[in-house]
mmCIF file of all heavy atoms in Angstrom:
data_model
loop_
_atom_site.group_PDB
_atom_site.id
_atom_site.type_symbol
_atom_site.label_atom_id
_atom_site.label_comp_id
_atom_site.label_asym_id
_atom_site.label_seq_id
_atom_site.Cartn_x
_atom_site.Cartn_y
_atom_site.Cartn_z
ATOM 1 N N GLN A 38 169.714 79.507 110.522
ATOM 2 C CA GLN A 38 170.531 80.375 111.269
ATOM 3 C C GLN A 38 170.066 80.341 112.743
ATOM 4 O O GLN A 38 168.999 80.700 113.047
ATOM 5 C CB GLN A 38 170.522 81.869 110.791
ATOM 6 C CG GLN A 38 171.491 82.797 111.479
ATOM 7 C CD GLN A 38 171.450 84.233 110.915
ATOM 8 O OE1 GLN A 38 170.400 84.681 110.438
ATOM 9 N NE2 GLN A 38 172.525 84.918 110.991
ATOM 10 N N SER A 43 176.173 82.140 112.387
ATOM 11 C CA SER A 43 176.176 82.319 110.946
ATOM 12 C C SER A 43 175.129 81.451 110.223
ATOM 13 O O SER A 43 174.515 80.632 110.944
ATOM 14 C CB SER A 43 177.630 82.102 110.414
ATOM 15 O OG SER A 43 177.685 82.534 109.016
ATOM 16 N N GLU A 59 172.960 68.781 102.763
ATOM 17 C CA GLU A 59 174.299 68.801 103.430
ATOM 18 C C GLU A 59 174.396 67.718 104.441
ATOM 19 O O GLU A 59 173.323 67.183 104.978
ATOM 20 C CB GLU A 59 174.584 70.214 104.016
ATOM 21 C CG GLU A 59 174.584 71.240 103.050
ATOM 22 C CD GLU A 59 175.737 71.147 102.009
ATOM 23 O OE1 GLU A 59 176.897 71.034 102.399
ATOM 24 O OE2 GLU A 59 175.404 71.005 100.812
ATOM 25 N N ARG A 97 170.182 82.229 92.931
ATOM 26 C CA ARG A 97 171.074 82.926 92.085
ATOM 27 C C ARG A 97 170.526 82.964 90.681
ATOM 28 O O ARG A 97 169.969 82.003 90.196
ATOM 29 C CB ARG A 97 172.398 82.156 92.139
ATOM 30 C CG ARG A 97 173.020 82.006 93.528
ATOM 31 C CD ARG A 97 174.305 81.292 93.605
ATOM 32 N NE ARG A 97 175.424 82.239 93.388
ATOM 33 C CZ ARG A 97 176.656 81.954 93.621
ATOM 34 N NH1 ARG A 97 176.967 80.827 94.169
ATOM 35 N NH2 ARG A 97 177.616 82.883 93.398
ATOM 36 N N GLU A 104 175.781 87.590 92.355
ATOM 37 C CA GLU A 104 175.519 87.390 93.796
ATOM 38 C C GLU A 104 174.234 86.588 93.977
ATOM 39 O O GLU A 104 173.367 86.459 93.145
ATOM 40 C CB GLU A 104 175.377 88.714 94.530
ATOM 41 C CG GLU A 104 174.116 89.554 94.177
ATOM 42 C CD GLU A 104 174.335 90.513 93.000
ATOM 43 O OE1 GLU A 104 175.258 90.240 92.235
ATOM 44 O OE2 GLU A 104 173.654 91.512 92.966
ATOM 45 N N ALA A 105 174.061 86.037 95.207
ATOM 46 C CA ALA A 105 172.849 85.416 95.641
ATOM 47 C C ALA A 105 171.921 86.381 96.223
ATOM 48 O O ALA A 105 172.334 87.336 96.862
ATOM 49 C CB ALA A 105 173.205 84.330 96.621
ATOM 50 N N ARG A 112 161.032 83.145 110.720
ATOM 51 C CA ARG A 112 161.290 82.813 112.099
ATOM 52 C C ARG A 112 160.266 81.762 112.533
ATOM 53 O O ARG A 112 159.052 82.022 112.585
ATOM 54 C CB ARG A 112 161.134 84.009 113.029
ATOM 55 C CG ARG A 112 161.103 83.740 114.533
ATOM 56 C CD ARG A 112 162.528 83.349 115.011
ATOM 57 N NE ARG A 112 163.485 84.432 114.697
ATOM 58 C CZ ARG A 112 164.814 84.164 114.921
ATOM 59 N NH1 ARG A 112 165.223 82.997 115.225
ATOM 60 N NH2 ARG A 112 165.661 85.225 114.686
ATOM 61 N N TYR B 36 177.836 90.774 102.895
ATOM 62 C CA TYR B 36 176.400 90.907 103.082
ATOM 63 C C TYR B 36 176.203 91.556 104.465
ATOM 64 O O TYR B 36 176.959 91.354 105.401
ATOM 65 C CB TYR B 36 175.651 89.593 103.035
ATOM 66 C CG TYR B 36 175.494 89.028 101.670
ATOM 67 C CD1 TYR B 36 176.466 88.181 101.108
ATOM 68 C CD2 TYR B 36 174.349 89.320 100.920
ATOM 69 C CE1 TYR B 36 176.309 87.620 99.837
ATOM 70 C CE2 TYR B 36 174.173 88.793 99.591
ATOM 71 C CZ TYR B 36 175.085 87.943 99.094
ATOM 72 O OH TYR B 36 174.939 87.403 97.872
ATOM 73 N N ASN B 41 166.518 89.947 112.487
ATOM 74 C CA ASN B 41 165.371 89.286 111.946
ATOM 75 C C ASN B 41 164.994 89.682 110.521
ATOM 76 O O ASN B 41 163.859 89.617 110.112
ATOM 77 C CB ASN B 41 164.120 89.523 112.815
ATOM 78 C CG ASN B 41 164.250 88.831 114.131
ATOM 79 O OD1 ASN B 41 164.637 87.639 114.316
ATOM 80 N ND2 ASN B 41 164.097 89.628 115.242
ATOM 81 N N LYS B 49 180.597 92.990 95.847
ATOM 82 C CA LYS B 49 181.115 91.693 95.492
ATOM 83 C C LYS B 49 182.346 91.891 94.674
ATOM 84 O O LYS B 49 182.613 92.882 93.905
ATOM 85 C CB LYS B 49 180.101 90.991 94.585
ATOM 86 C CG LYS B 49 179.701 91.666 93.307
ATOM 87 C CD LYS B 49 178.652 90.955 92.483
ATOM 88 C CE LYS B 49 178.266 91.659 91.278
ATOM 89 N NZ LYS B 49 177.207 91.015 90.482
ATOM 90 N N GLY B 103 179.755 76.813 93.098
ATOM 91 C CA GLY B 103 178.457 77.591 93.295
ATOM 92 C C GLY B 103 177.927 77.724 94.609
ATOM 93 O O GLY B 103 177.114 78.548 94.875
ATOM 94 N N LYS B 104 178.487 77.011 95.604
ATOM 95 C CA LYS B 104 178.015 77.106 96.956
ATOM 96 C C LYS B 104 178.656 78.385 97.647
ATOM 97 O O LYS B 104 179.742 78.673 97.418
ATOM 98 C CB LYS B 104 178.369 75.835 97.812
ATOM 99 C CG LYS B 104 177.606 74.621 97.399
ATOM 100 C CD LYS B 104 177.916 73.472 98.326
ATOM 101 C CE LYS B 104 177.187 72.194 97.957
ATOM 102 N NZ LYS B 104 177.545 71.134 98.907
ATOM 103 N N GLY B 108 181.241 83.397 106.537
ATOM 104 C CA GLY B 108 182.063 83.637 107.748
ATOM 105 C C GLY B 108 181.107 83.612 108.974
ATOM 106 O O GLY B 108 179.929 83.557 108.874
#
Side-chain angles (χ1 to χ4, degrees):
Chain A
Q38 185 179 30
S43 188
E59 296 299 299
R97 303 181 84 164
E104 69 267 26
R112 170 70 61 191
Chain B
Y36 285 88
N41 292 311
K49 63 180 177 181
K104 289 185 180 179

